[in-house]
Structures are given as C-alpha cells and as structure tokens.
Amino acid sequence: MKLARRQLLQAVGLGAAAVLLRAPGARAGAPTFPTRVVFYVQPHGHIPKAWKLAIPGGPSDRVASRDLAGLAPEELPPTLRPFHRLRGKILPIEGLCHTIALADIAQVMRTGGDLNNHQIGVADVLTGARALQRSGTYCTGGARSIDQELAARGMAPGRFGSRVYGYNYVPNSIVSPFSYLGPGQPSPMVSSPATALQDLLGLAAPQPTPQNREEKIRALRPSVLDAVAVEYESLAPGLDADARKKLDEHRALVRDLEMSLRASGAHCDVKIDSSGHEVRQFMRVVRLALACDLTRVVTFSAPVPECPELGYPAANTMHGYAHQSIEGATSCGTAFDPVAERAMIDLDAWHAGHVAYLLDLLDAVPEGDGTLLDHTAVVWLTELATPTHEHRDTGALVAGGANGFFATGRYVRYPQDQPNPIGGQPRTGPAHNRLLVTLLRAMGHADDTFGLDGAAGADGTPLSFRGPLAELLR
Amino acid sequence: MSGSRAHRLARLAVAPAVLALAAGFGGCRSDEPEPPVPTVGPTPLRRLSNVEYLNALADLFPSVHEPLPPLPDDGAVAGFENAVEAQRPSDVRIARYEAIASIHADAVTRDPASVRALVGCDGWATADAARECARTFLATTGRRLYRRPLEPAEATRLLARFDEWRVAIDFEAAVRLTLGVMLQAPQFLYRAEPAPAGVAPGSVVPVPSYAMATRLAFFLWESTPDDALLDAAARGELASEAGVAAHAARLLADPRARRVFTSFHRQWLGLDRILGDEHAARAAELDPAWTRATQASAAEETRRFVDGVIGSGGTLGDLLTSRRAWVDAETARLYGVPAPPPGTWAEVSLPPDQRAGLFTRAAFLASFSHRGGTSPPVRGNGIQLRLLCQLPISPPPGVDLSQPKAAPGEGPRTTRELFEERTRPAMCQGCHAGLNGFGYAFESYDASGRFRTVESGLPVDPRGAIRGTDVDGAVSGPVELSVALARSETVRRCAANQWVRYALARAPDEVEGPMVAGLAERFSKSGGDVRDLVLAIATSPSFRSMRVLGGEAAR
C-alpha cells in the first residue's frame, strides 16, 4: 500500500502528486474533510459502577442502547458526567471484551511465560494480536498496532503518518506504551509537549523562498536527503536479506521526510498556549496537529498521576489503590477499601476531564458545516477492563462522528453471551478486536479483521473477531 | 525450529572448507596447526545505539556543544540498549538524525578556520583546487565517519553532489551539506560488514580489518574508532589475535573505555531505574528530604562507584563488596557519613557493618522499593533477574500486588511480618521462597536506602537466604549476602553471559554456548577480573569471525 503510493509519487513527479494528495475530497463521494482518529489510552480500567448507565427495560440477551439527549448531568454515571455538554457527540460502549488478552493468558497458563495482566493488556489492546513472549524478559506487543497500521496507510508528503505522545506506564517502566511499529518494536513516543510542538512546526512552517545564503543552504535539505537515500540504495545490495530490509525501511522514511520537506508547508495558525497541566498542553498540540492536517492519527498514552494530585496521600499509589477498589472482586483476595474505590473513580473522572477537554478543543474548530470533532473519532481505551485485572466487560468510548460514521448520542451495551477462553470464567461480550475493525472502516478501509481473526473458548467453541460492530454505526 | 537448527548445523559442517581462507586472513603460517572453526552465531546488521551515536559524534566533533533534540528511546531488550532485535527505524528517529546532522554540519563549518581544519587544505579558490580539497575532505573526514576509506563509487557520488552545491552556493556550503549526507548515511549510522567477495554463504571468515576496528571501538569505547585504530586496520594489524590484543589493550587503557564499564553495568543491573518518575519522591512520613536532587545523586553515586572501582582495577567481586563510595551531600545523608560541600563529591569509606557493594547502595535499594515502603519481593526480583540472570515469572493473574498493611487496630508490624503473612500460601512459596530470601536480607534498609535496625518501633530481622545458586544458604543480613554473592559462580556466569550479550547486541546463540561457558570459566579463574573478561571477548575467535550470510533471511 505504502510502496504503491511511493511508486505513484515517483511516477507522476513530486509536485503534481503533492497537489493530488493534498486536495481534500478529490475522490467522488469521499468525505469533504479527512477522517481523523485519536487514541487516548490509559492503564487500570474503569470502576464499572461509575461507568455503567442503566438502560431501563433494556434486554440483557441482546444489544441494548439508550439515547443520551434527554439526560441531566446527574443522570450520567460519574465517569461520563464530564461529557454532558457534548453528550450528543459521544458513544460510550459497555461490555466488549479484550478476548485476545484472555486467550493470551489461557495460552501462557499452559505454556509458561509472562503472565502479568498489565503487560499483556498493554501489548494487546491496540494490536489485537498475541503478546510477544521473549526469552529472559517481559512480554511486549506482538504485532503492528492499529494506529501504526492507519499511519502506514495514510502517510503523505507534508503529513506525519501518526504521532505518539505521552508517558511510559508506571508502575512498571518496562511496559511500553500501547503503540507498536511491529512485533517487539514500541513506537517512539514524544513525552514533552514542547518537543511535540517543535516536530509539528517543522512541517507546518511554509518553505520560504531563499533570501540569503543561510536560507539557500536550508532549502537544500531535501537534496541532502535525496543523497542520503541514494547511499541506502547503494549499500543494501551487498548485504544479507535482513540487513537489506532494515536499510530499505530506513531509506523509505528518509524519502518520506524528503517529500515532506518538498511539499509546501501547511498554511495554518500554529499559535498555541503552552501553559497549564502537561496533559492539557498535549491535548492542544493534538488539536493543532489535526486542525492543520499534519497527521490524521494520534495516540496518547496517558500518565498515572501521583496520589497528591487527586488529593490522596503521597505514601500511596494509584496502582496500590487499584487492587482494593472493587467490592466483591474476590479474585484479588484483598480487603475492599472504600477509599480505594473513591480514588479510582476520581482517577476515571480525571481522565474523563482530559478527554472532554480535547473534545471541546476539537469541537471549537469549525470545518465546513460542522467541526473538527465531527470529522474525528476520539477513542478512549484502557488496557484492563477493571482495576482488579479483569479483561472482560470493558468500558470504551468513541467520541466524534468520524464524518457521520458513528451513531453518537447513545449509550450501547453488549450482552455477555460468548464463551470465555479461560475455563471457569464468566461469559463475555464481543471481542474488542471488532472495535478496531470498525475504526479501520471509519477510516475508509474495507478490512474485515485486525490482529487475530478469532480465538477459542475454553470448551473449544470458536470465537470470531470478524467484522465491524454494526450497532455503533449510523 | 528444529529445521532451522539442523540447517545451521549443516552450515557449520561446511565451515572447515573455508579454513584455508580463514588462515589466509589470519596471516597464519602453513606449518601451524589448524585452529578449530570458531563458533559464530548470526551477525545481524547493527545500528548505532543512541549512546554509541552520541559518543561517536562527541568524539568526532569535540568542539560542538549545541543542544540536540532528543532521540527516541532505543528499544532496550533485557536492559540492553544496543539490542539489534529492536532497532526498527521510525519517522521520529529519521527526523532527529536529520536535525542532529544539520546542527553538527553547521557548527563545524561556521568560520573559514573551522572549514580549513575539517577539510585538511586551505586553498579552494579555483574549481580544480576546490575539487582537490573535496577529495582530501572525503579521504580524511569521510574515513573517520565511515570508519574505512570510501569506496571509489561512494567518493564519486559524493563529489558530484559536492560540486553541484559548490556551484549553487559556495565551497563552505558544499562541505556543510556533504557532511550532512555522511552523518545520515548508513555507512555512519549502521555497522555493515559486507562479506569478502567470492566467499560462499554459510562460511565463517575473519572479520575484515576495518570492520574489526569498528567492532573493537564500539565494544571497548562505545564509540567510533580513532585514527590510530583505523591506521592499524590499514596496516593489517587487526588480522591476528596478537594484533587485536595489543590494540584492545590500548583502547582499554584510554579514558574512553571507562564509559563502557559504567554504561554496561548501568544497563545490566538497571542502575538508572532510580531515575524513573516513581522515584522522584518518598512518602513524606518516611523521608521528606528526598527530592529529585536525591534521585539524580543516587544514580550518579553508583556511576562514580562503578567507575572508581573498575577504574582502579577492581573485580566484579569488588563491585559487590567494596565499601568505597563517592558521595555528595545528598547521598552522604542517606549513608550517614559527613557531607562534602554542596555540589562536590568526595570519596569516603562506608561503615563495614552496614554497606558492601552496589546492592547496598541507594540506587538499587530505593529503586527496588515503593515510595511508601520497602518490598522484599521487589528487591529479591532485582537480584534474581539482574544479578543471577533468572527470570522470575510474573505474578499469576488476580493476585494481590498491593503493599500489605497492618489491619486497623492491630498495632505496628514490620514489613517482613506482613510479607511473610501475605506470601505464606503454598502456591506463593514456589517463587517467594527465593524472592523473599534475598529481599528479607535487605530489610536493613528503608525505602530511601538508609540503614535501619528498627522499623515502626519493632526490631528489624534481616536474616535471609540464598536459593538457586552455587552459594545457597542462610545469611545474617545484607553484608553477608553481598559477600556470598561475590563468591558465586552463578553470578559470574550471568555476568559473562551479559557481557557477551552486550558485545554482540543480542542474546548468545545456542552454538555460542561453549564459547560463553569458556569465557565464564576464565572469568572465574581470574577472580572476576572484568577487564580481563572484556579482553578475552574482544580477542576470542568468535568475536573476530563472522558468518557470511547469503541473500536469504538470517533466520
């Protein structure tokens, strides 16, 4: 896909290709504004009772939904309350299952390996694939993640395939942050909003007509990159196949940068407020990146705040609270602590506040008859379903219409009617992989699967991960 | 799996056929007995790790002090940042290389004197003179950057660009732009080792001279070769074991070698884990004086410790038992010794009944603790995973990983008592007997790494046990534990294995097992002499040989 695009560019000449690709709506019937996607991914899951919205009269054996339009703020569950103003543009989803993680655990219980739930969750949630078990160290992502797949399909001159922002996941800094270029290859993540902004400005600034010697030299950066790429092409043939592949990938990225620098800069307001909480700073960078079409895919790996930020003692950690936060979650064998429950609900609300802030920012950017948010899917995910290491009955949220693709303004609940890959465990809802398939469809791709296409229940019943979640679509 | 193994063994079987060639490379006389074919695993293409790349730039351009944009993290595997299996490029990395190349090329061509120094000539007024200067520039600076003389085709390509840019702007601009190309070229960023022409795939051959210079420099300096080493390669001095040994000894005596010892131990033992955000503070009721400055000082203290101990000829055993310490005011407070003036470091001797080596220092003790208290299994995990090369399995799903606390109204209890109770079930003991045995011995230190005999008003019981090694048995506390581990073959085997892993940028292959075992044996016999081990690796037939790969994938 990527190669074909590059060949096309080379065939038709850079300038013409740049115009072709940058012209919005060039294809008949395509959306006027490009569809963008933001993943906001956090550790520790949600407290179900603070997430779940009752659906009066709703069936439990099939999909149920509830219109959010008529609800007052206090009628929304605490975690969803920060979205009240934008309730027409959100689509909270209850009851999906990280089936792939359960399948991973079932397998590792048989064969040995890294069984840490957090690590498996981090490895699986955006890849939809088995975690990569490695000798002598912890497991990691076993395949390219959905954001990087979309990035690879959507790159163009003058635009980054994706941006990955955020923080390494504490408490175990060995865990890498959700996004993977390929098996065992975490995506590089930018952890400073200032650096993230500098990266964008490098593409956003229009290339000036060189006025002096220094500017003439700067204007030759693409030529330098062209010469660099030629060196990669020249060195590779004398090497073995693996080495050639490595150099080819490097060369392709050098060519991408060269083409980006040759493309005229996006003329776009790049002023930004660089004050306040770092997460908010990042959210403003995300707005800029999407509004200026400098990327169409962003992944934000959310931090876990220190306890004092949420008003809890510094001696504790959110991770410590997590295991004691759900009444009756006996699998942990630990005493339920109402303070821990409140802390985790406050943590959920803290994340919800940041996501809602991003939605407000995107909704304030007019695009045609609507807003940037209307043309974007902001996807809020967690690596576990609950702070007590469950992987089933998750809470997920899609906000923004993705150009009229998602039927927002509703709360959707999936029934728990599928066999669990782990013996003796409760039945589950549909696989979360199908949400990833739905996002591929939202971005204009026809795929029927992403990651693995299925697994098996503990009793051997096949579980299919195929097809989008039709109930979410308009 | 078994198929690929069989395939590799088949390849090994054909290796004797190339012995004659190998002997030719090695300069052996025909009357010498044929050496055995070295065991050589795959040698995948290596990219410079971030540290190697930045060291190389600093060594090549010592006058450049401009701030550089941050590189994306290397995908470290088992702590090692040069791991070849996690070196996939990304758009961010390519953009950073471009920026850093531009910054350097600009900085070293800013004035005519700098340009003259860089190109090695001082007259370029005419087109002919400029071309001659450009050739000199590629022959000198080009050789330093590519770590070998440029191939004629490479020089021709670069000269064509150079001319184009010189005509478009001027000579100095052409130098700057051409330098920008070389700094981003695969010949600089990667360590390609093309096979000598006409050698059959699967053959094991000596590493060609310039590639050998590169192997030595990056292993012993974590950086690029200097001119002297490249000159030695040019003279063919790196073709023999004696030649390699002589140059390796020179490299090891250079100050640049010291950063390898600190860098290796940092990566192997996770000594920079203390710099993680979770260790920016300690709970206020435990240690309100712990700040970000303490965190940074704790990391720096272990760096100075490793540098000081190995730099003065110390052994691995010394690293595990020495009471020498280089402290500043922050770390002096933790160790209860007199503080040097703020901002300075001083060597002191720590109390013999309280401290012995790396694992009794704050960087380990605090980073393998929680901010609100110690965790014996976490510290035990640190010992098993890092020092013994034993991967503990992760806790099973659903177990309680929270810090155990005394129940309300129950009165104070020690951390040890709480963990003994928590991990008492038989299903826990499979792992925790080992983990806790190490961890309990470290209960003599609080979560900041300060020595203690009392916790919550109760006496601390630091009796522990070593399990899973050749020195198993009860220990009375952390000093005895460290002294016992310093004698352990298990520890020395792990160290030797990790040094090989670091040297090869990958886990040792199955076929390299006997080689690693031999190095471990030599390391033990030397009494844990780290420099001798490094020298042994650098001169080993395996390090000086490469397996020629064909066009097919290398497994």
Side-chain angles (χ1 to χ4, degrees), chain A residues 227-250:
Chain A
V228 169
V230 169
E231 294 306 310
Y232 282 83
E233 284 150 16
S234 307
L235 188 67
L239 304 177
D240 65 272
D242 282 349
R244 282 204 305 273
K245 184 164 172 285
K246 205 165 177 174
L247 292 186
D248 274 353
E249 282 187 44
H250 193 123

Side-chain angles (χ1 to χ4, degrees), chain A residues 328-368:
Chain A
T330 50
S331 65
C332 275
T334 183
F336 169 69
D337 177 357
V339 174
E341 180 190 68
R342 204 171 64 239
M344 295 314 284
I345 293 174
D346 287 351
L347 177 63
D348 274 348
W350 184 85
H351 285 296
H354 290 312
V355 177
Y357 177 76
L358 174 65
L359 302 189
D360 280 333
L361 288 176
L362 301 186
D363 208 36
V365 178
E367 279 188 349

Side-chain angles (χ1 to χ4, degrees), chain A residues 312-399:
Chain A
Y312 294 86
N316 291 336
T317 64
M318 283 294 156
H319 189 220
Y321 280 133
H323 303 118
Q324 300 169 283
S325 63
I326 297 185
E327 195 160 15
T330 50
S331 65
C332 275
T334 183
F336 169 69
D337 177 357
V339 174
E341 180 190 68
R342 204 171 64 239
M344 295 314 284
I345 293 174
D346 287 351
L347 177 63
D348 274 348
W350 184 85
H351 285 296
H354 290 312
V355 177
Y357 177 76
L358 174 65
L359 302 189
D360 280 333
L361 288 176
L362 301 186
D363 208 36
V365 178
E367 279 188 349
D369 294 337
T371 70
L372 172 53
L373 179 59
D374 297 330
H375 308 137
T376 302
V378 176
V379 189
W380 180 19
L381 299 173
T382 66
E383 107 282 28
L384 298 172
T386 66
T388 47
H389 302 162
E390 293 287 350
H391 295 278
R392 56 179 287 286
D393 204 4
T394 68
L397 180 139
V398 177

Side-chain angles (χ1 to χ4, degrees), chain A residues 31-216:
Chain A
T32 307
F33 290 91
T35 305
R36 277 129 311 168
V37 62
V38 179
F39 294 93
Y40 182 107
V41 196
Q42 64 161 95
H44 288 319
H46 298 298
I47 298 285
K49 75 178 196 190
W51 174 277
K52 292 187 174 185
L53 176 69
I55 302 180
S60 64
D61 59 346
R62 50 188 203 280
V63 181
S65 73
R66 183 173 181 185
D67 194 334
L68 300 176
L71 298 182
E74 61 276 10
E75 288 176 283
L76 284 178
T79 305
L80 299 179
R81 219 165 280 159
F83 300 103
H84 183 261
R85 197 186 73 74
L86 287 164
R87 64 194 180 283
K89 298 194 176 187
I90 64 168
L91 176 59
I93 308 157
E94 173 191 326
L96 297 180
C97 179
H98 295 164
T99 314
I100 191 75
L102 296 175
D104 252 339
I105 291 167
Q107 164 103 9
V108 176
M109 286 164 82
R110 288 192 296 270
T111 59
D114 179 9
L115 257 182
N116 186 289
N117 282 276
H118 294 277
Q119 271 141 208
I120 289 172
V122 169
D124 290 356
V125 69
L126 291 187
T127 63
R130 285 279 163 80
L132 175 67
Q133 297 285 344
R134 300 182 295 191
S135 156
T137 187
Y138 300 101
C139 74
T140 185
R144 180 187 272 176
S145 52
I146 181 78
D147 58 328
Q148 295 310 307
E149 182 62 30
L150 291 169
R153 296 186 191 194
M155 259 197 290
R159 196 170 70 219
F160 292 110
S162 80
R163 299 281 83 189
V164 180
Y165 299 144
Y167 304 86
N168 272 317
Y169 167 24
V170 180
N172 187 345
S173 51
I174 292 165
V175 169
S176 42
F178 305 110
S179 177
Y180 298 90
L181 298 168
Q185 312 278 336
S187 303
M189 183 174 62
V190 175
S191 293
S192 141
T195 307
L197 180 61
Q198 280 309 314
D199 285 344
L200 294 179
L201 297 184
L203 283 194
Q207 305 293 322
T209 310
Q211 300 295 329
N212 54 37
R213 178 177 178 274
E214 181 58 28
E215 284 177 9
K216 279 184 197 162

Side-chain angles (χ1 to χ4, degrees), chain B residues 38-39 212 215-216 219-220 240-242 244-249 252 261 495-496 499-500 503-504 514-526 528-545:
Chain B
T39 50
M212 193 62 216
R215 282 194 180 196
L216 281 178
F219 179 39
L220 302 178
S240 67
E241 181 176 339
V244 169
H247 285 280
L252 277 176
F261 294 106
W499 268 110
V500 172
L504 301 177
M515 185 259 291
V516 177
L519 289 164
E521 198 183 324
R522 172 167 167 172
F523 187 47
S524 276
K525 281 188 183 145
S526 76
D529 183 336
V530 181
R531 285 168 175 274
D532 179 72
L533 172 64
V534 167
L535 198 60
I537 294 172
T539 53
S540 70
S542 298
F543 190 74
R544 296 188 293 114
S545 308

Side-chain angles (χ1 to χ4, degrees), chain A residues 15 22 33 77 126 129 235 253 278 282 307 310 329 362 447 450 465:
Chain A
R22 293 184 68 77
F33 290 91
L126 291 187
L235 188 67
L253 291 164
E278 260 195 18
F282 265 122
C307 284
L310 301 182
L362 301 186
D447 303 57
F450 184 74
F465 300 172

